[in-house]
Amino acid sequence: MPESSRDTAAGAGWGAAERGAYRRLMPNDVEKISWLDPRMLWAARNGVLASWFGDPTGGTRSRWVARREAAGAPADKVIRRDDPDRFSFLVIGDTGEGGEPQYAVVPGLLEAGRDTAFAVLASDVIYPVGGADDYDAKFFRPYRDYPAPIYAIPGNHDWYEDLGAFMRVFCDDAPPLPPAPRPRPLTRAWLRSLLWHRPRAGDGGRLDEARKLRSAPGQQAVQPGPYWAVDAGPVRIVGIDTGLLGTLDAEQGAWLREVSRGPRPKILVTGSPLYVDGAHHPCPIEGGGTVDDIVRDPAHHYVAAIGGDIHNYQRYPVRLDDGRILQYVVAGGGGAFTHATHTIPRVDVAGVTERDFRCYPLRGDSLAFYSALYGRRLRLRRFFSLTEAEAMAVIAERLGIGPTRTPGAPPRVTRRMRLVAGLLGTGRRPDRGRRLRLPVRKAYASLFSPGSATYSPPFFKCFLRLDVSPDAVRLRCHAATGLRAQEIDPPVEDEVTIPLR
């Protein structure tokens, strides 16, 4: 078995190593997304407008669903496959930036997933605003050699153009929605409509040509809408659409309750993780209740809840009141810039402690990665840059945990190391200092987004492979660093066996 980041620094991608072959897959002209670019932030303004002037996602989603049902999509939104009792599938989250970090995932994904029955994209298929012409370089081209169907749930970025391109690609080339009724003047909805970002004229002109890259019969997948369920072998995989603001409308909530009934074991895939960064985010449903209420109900038999949106890997094995352990997983490391893990405080949530918690990249690798990034940007390399060993040591001190990798005696923690760790938002023990709340943490990480600067390994990307049998699901998190060794044999950063009975 190849070395992982938990074994050695080389397994994490540090040090001199052969760069991977993923660049051969890339187009010549790659759009470099920078979230420091005011034009990019303005194009992605709809999420802010929805939070200020009301979220129109539920109404738009309902219109899309009605149109798909009128076109013959099943009313229960269940895709019924004929997979055997033993099969495998992939989950890849937050993929579509189109740059080196996304393409660096592909060789290992093809290697580890060559015998899988299908793949699921969990949130943010296309950055920055889900445009139709972006699907060539950010979906069809990178996954052209994956031989099986790909299903998807949209993330907030796919909603920045009202989901039109997503529906065309994944939902049987769904035609555009007719214009919505105009809101009354001088209302919040009217103000929102004046500023709302809409697709460019002629967007999607290259889509038919792009489809040829995934045109084999075995690659085709048609889903009934932006949310759906897949019955495959002994399990039901339920994909929900959390829209712009990470919530469910009442109509989708009613469907989720209905499709969750029955004894068949279920796995939730969602654009908004329910546990992340040491905190619980149950995902409210319009009209009352939460997604996590449904997931925890023993009558519904959920065994895992996998969410995208946060660009790393985390796992929380939560023991429920009835004694079951439900695996809550963050899996958004499929291609977008890496969200820091070193900002995660010492974990103590829902009975899950550091002993049970897993993440990738390891916090020390995350701190070393960000310190090098900021050292380059601020031209203060000698002060800011921490070696991976130094970063591991200061993380262990701040969180009161043992170092994850111990190849030898850790270096002495100096005042400079502590200062850099503090400036970069490194987490603490719950009783020491304040935690960074999720929105603050996301804003903090995006302020100096690595997506605009990291075009050399290690990228610390990942994807999941789930092997299903009648009695259990084996979930493995595979790393993708952008280095040749991890392309040939993708290391396993985390593994857990989830019983189905």
Side-chain angles (χ1 to χ4, degrees):
M1 181 176 292
E3 292 181 333
S4 74
S5 70
R6 292 182 172 272
D7 302 317
T8 65
W14 297 116
E18 181 185 359
R19 194 169 183 144
Y22 63 88
R23 279 186 160 186
R24 301 173 191 170
L25 307 173
M26 299 175 64
N28 293 327
D29 52 335
V30 176
E31 177 191 26
K32 295 184 178 181
I33 292 177
S34 172
W35 297 109
L36 298 177
D37 185 339
R39 294 170 300 176
M40 198 71 67
L41 295 173
W42 176 244
R45 62 189 178 271
N46 285 2
V48 175
L49 294 176
S51 65
W52 287 355
F53 301 116
D55 185 3
T57 302
T60 305
R61 183 188 294 117
S62 182
R63 294 169 67 213
W64 278 122
V65 169
R67 170 159 287 208
R68 289 290 294 132
E69 289 184 7
D76 64 1
K77 303 169 187 61
V78 177
I79 303 163
R80 293 173 173 85
R81 296 176 51 88
D82 59 357
D83 299 293
D85 283 348
R86 296 179 185 273
F87 75 98
S88 303
F89 69 100
L90 301 175
V91 177
I92 323 158
D94 297 83
T95 53
E97 279 202 357
E100 293 201 22
Q102 179 180 7
Y103 279 87
V105 176
V106 175
L109 181 149
L110 295 176
E111 178 64 28
R114 62 183 181 276
D115 61 341
T116 51
F118 57 89
V120 175
L121 300 186
S123 181
D124 290 339
V125 180
I126 300 294
Y127 293 92
V129 293
D133 281 334
D134 287 334
Y135 272 85
D136 182 354
K138 301 178 182 181
F139 174 71
F140 289 106
R141 184 176 296 273
Y143 309 121
R144 60 186 172 184
D145 293 325
Y146 179 67
I150 298 177
Y151 306 102
I153 56 168
N156 57 310
H157 287 267
D158 303 303
W159 268 102
Y160 288 161
E161 290 191 349
D162 291 335
L163 212 62
F166 180 97
M167 296 297 292
R168 290 180 66 181
V169 170
F170 294 104
C171 298
D172 204 20
D173 209 11
L177 290 175
R182 290 190 176 186
R184 289 184 294 109
L186 304 179
T187 61
R188 295 173 70 209
W190 177 77
L191 289 171
R192 183 185 64 220
S193 69
L194 294 179
L195 299 171
W196 200 251
H197 171 84
R198 292 178 175 83
R200 303 181 304 272
D203 186 44
R206 301 195 303 269
L207 197 51
D208 288 341
E209 189 66 23
R211 292 181 200 272
K212 296 177 182 177
L213 296 171
R214 280 188 52 84
S215 59
Q219 294 176 313
Q220 304 312 301
V222 175
Q223 58 190 60
Y227 57 92
W228 41 260
V230 173
D231 282 351
V235 300
R236 171 170 283 184
I237 302 153
V238 180
I240 60 172
D241 169 16
T242 55
L244 284 170
L245 301 182
T247 62
L248 261 62
D249 61 281
E251 180 180 318
Q252 186 180 180
W255 170 85
L256 178 61
R257 291 184 177 94
E258 184 61 33
V259 82
S260 299
R261 299 183 193 277
R264 190 172 192 152
K266 299 172 186 73
I267 298 169
L268 182 76
V269 182
T270 168
S272 300
L274 303 180
Y275 280 88
V276 60
D277 296 344
H280 185 208
H281 300 270
C283 188
I285 299 173
E286 181 186 17
T290 69
V291 169
D292 202 29
D293 292 338
I294 297 171
V295 167
R296 288 169 175 260
D297 189 330
H300 295 157
H301 299 275
Y302 278 90
V303 298
I306 303 170
D309 189 49
I310 302 301
H311 306 164
N312 53 45
Y313 172 82
Q314 301 174 43
R315 180 169 64 84
Y316 301 82
V318 175
R319 184 175 293 277
L320 304 182
D321 292 341
D322 60 3
R324 292 177 299 133
I325 294 179
L326 208 153
Q327 299 290 342
Y328 291 89
V329 177
V330 178
F337 71 87
T338 300
H339 275 131
T341 58
H342 66 265
T343 57
I344 303 172
R346 180 178 171 126
V347 170
D348 185 8
V349 60
V352 178
T353 66
E354 283 292 326
R355 180 178 178 179
D356 315 302
F357 172 70
R358 295 291 183 273
C359 70
Y360 178 78
L362 299 176
R363 289 183 178 98
D365 288 331
S366 170
L367 179 58
F369 175 90
Y370 269 75
S371 71
L373 170 68
Y374 295 168
R376 289 194 302 271
R377 286 191 169 175
L378 300 174
R379 299 186 179 182
L380 293 170
R381 284 188 176 93
R382 293 186 63 183
F383 173 76
F384 251 97
S385 295
L386 302 177
T387 68
E388 55 84 18
E390 289 173 335
M392 288 284 182
V394 73
I395 288 286
E397 180 185 82
R398 282 179 72 97
L399 269 66
I401 59 176
T404 309
R405 289 196 300 261
T406 53
R412 182 177 65 88
V413 177
T414 66
R415 187 175 300 174
R416 178 187 72 90
M417 292 159 58
R418 293 187 183 103
L419 178 59
V420 170
L423 289 172
L424 296 182
T426 303
R428 289 173 170 267
R429 286 175 283 185
D431 58 336
R432 299 264 185 105
R434 299 174 61 186
R435 299 187 183 205
L436 283 174
R437 294 185 177 181
L438 181 61
V440 176
R441 175 189 172 278
K442 289 183 70 174
Y444 183 93
S446 297
L447 180 62
F448 293 103
S449 162
S452 63
T454 51
Y455 296 101
S456 61
F459 295 122
F460 296 112
K461 301 288 92 187
C462 61
F463 61 92
L464 306 186
R465 175 180 168 125
L466 290 89
D467 301 304
V468 180
S469 70
D471 298 316
V473 174
R474 181 173 66 160
L475 182 152
R476 285 177 286 178
C477 171
H478 287 277
T481 63
L483 298 175
R484 186 63 176 156
Q486 283 82 27
E487 284 186 351
I488 295 170
D489 196 358
V492 176
E493 289 292 334
D494 186 34
E495 179 174 342
V496 63
T497 298
I498 307 169
L500 295 182
R501 302 184 186 278

